[in-house]
C-alpha cells in the first residue's frame, strides 16, 4: 500500500512539475525576448503590449513544435522559421517604418537570442527533471536495503 501511495505521489509531482515548467517556459521566453526587443526598438506602451502578446503566442507555438519535432531537426527548423515569418508580418502592422527596418535588420540576432535563452531554460529544467525521474533501468529498479530484524537474546546469567 505504501508503494502505491508513493508511486502515485511521485507521478503527480512529476506531471505537475513538467506542466509548471512548460507553462513557465513560454512566459519566460516571451518576456525575455520582448524585453530585449522593446529596449532595442524603443517601443511605446501600445507597441510593447502588442509585442508581448505576439511573442507569448509565438513562444507557445515554438514550444509545441519543439516538443512535437524533437527528433526531426529539419522539420523543427522549418516550423520555427514559419513562426518567425508570421511574427515578421504581424510586427509590420504594429511597428513604425523606422522601427520595422531596425527589427528586420536585427531579426536574426533576435531569433538566435531567443533560441539561446530557450536552450538555457531547457538545461535548467532538465536538471530539475533529472532529480525527479529515474535515469535508466538500473536506477528505476534500485531499492533501499531491507532493515535487519532485531534479535533479542537473553542475557547470560552473571556469576
Amino acid at each position: 500500500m505504501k508503494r502505491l501511495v508513493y508511486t502515485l505521489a511521485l507521478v503527480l509531482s512529476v506531471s505537475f512539475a513538467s506542466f509548471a515548467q512548460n507553462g513557465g517556459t513560454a512566459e519566460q521566453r516571451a518576456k525575455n525576448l520582448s524585453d530585449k526587443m522593446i529596449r532595442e526598438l524603443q517601443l511605446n506602451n501600445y507597441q510593447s503590449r502588442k509585442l508581448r502578446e505576439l511573442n507569448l503566442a509565438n513562444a507557445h507555438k515554438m514550444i509545441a513544435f519543439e516538443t512535437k519535432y524533437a527528433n526531426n531537426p529539419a522539420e523543427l527548423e522549418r516550423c520555427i522559421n514559419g513562426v518567425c515569418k508570421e511574427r515578421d508580418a504581424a510586427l509590420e502592422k504594429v511597428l513604425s517604418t523606422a522601427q520595422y527596418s531596425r527589427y528586420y535588420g536585427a531579426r536574426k540576432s533576435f531569433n538566435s537570442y531567443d533560441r539561446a535563452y530557450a536552450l538555457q531554460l531547457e538545461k535548467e529544467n532538465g536538471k530539475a527533471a533529472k532529480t525527479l525521474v529515474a535515469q535508466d533501468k538500473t536506477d528505476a529498479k534500485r531499492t533501499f536495503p531491507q532493515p535487519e530484524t532485531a534479535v533479542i537474546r537473553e542475557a547470560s546469567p552473571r556469576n
Side-chain angles (χ1 to χ4, degrees), residues 2-157:
K2 284 184 180 180
R3 280 191 173 171
L4 177 64
V5 171
Y6 175 72
T7 305
L8 182 61
L10 181 64
V11 168
L12 288 175
S13 66
V14 169
S15 63
F16 177 73
S18 66
F19 174 75
Q21 289 172 358
N22 286 340
T25 303
E27 282 79 17
Q28 289 171 333
R29 279 179 72 171
K31 182 184 181 319
N32 185 54
L33 181 60
S34 296
D35 289 346
K36 180 175 177 66
M37 291 174 76
I38 290 167
R39 275 191 315 271
E40 291 189 15
L41 300 174
Q42 300 173 345
L43 304 182
N44 62 33
N45 287 339
Y46 171 78
Q47 292 170 324
S48 299
R49 190 170 25 91
K50 289 295 185 182
L51 177 74
R52 288 185 191 282
E53 292 171 4
L54 181 64
N55 280 342
L56 181 59
N58 286 342
H60 283 293
K61 288 179 189 177
M62 287 182 182
I63 288 174
F65 286 135
E66 289 167 356
T67 304
K68 185 175 182 179
Y69 298 113
N71 296 326
N72 189 350
E75 185 65 21
L76 176 62
E77 186 70 22
R78 188 181 70 72
C79 292
I80 296 292
N81 287 338
V83 171
C84 292
K85 286 180 183 178
E86 288 176 8
R87 178 176 53 210
D88 293 348
L91 284 177
E92 192 171 15
K93 297 174 185 173
V94 175
L95 302 178
S96 70
T97 305
Q99 289 170 330
Y100 187 76
S101 179
R102 278 191 304 220
Y103 163 75
Y104 196 80
R107 67 186 176 161
K108 287 184 181 180
S109 68
F110 288 133
N111 292 342
S112 61
Y113 179 78
D114 181 49
R115 288 184 184 184
Y117 187 74
L119 288 174
Q120 177 189 348
L121 285 176
E122 185 178 321
K123 286 179 184 177
E124 290 172 4
N125 289 342
K127 288 178 186 175
K130 285 179 183 179
T131 61
L132 296 173
V133 180
Q135 297 301 308
D136 56 13
K137 291 180 181 178
T138 57
D139 197 23
K141 292 180 182 177
R142 188 179 330 163
T143 59
F144 294 102
Q146 294 294 326
E148 295 181 21
T149 307
V151 178
I152 301 174
R153 297 182 186 163
E154 287 186 34
S156 59

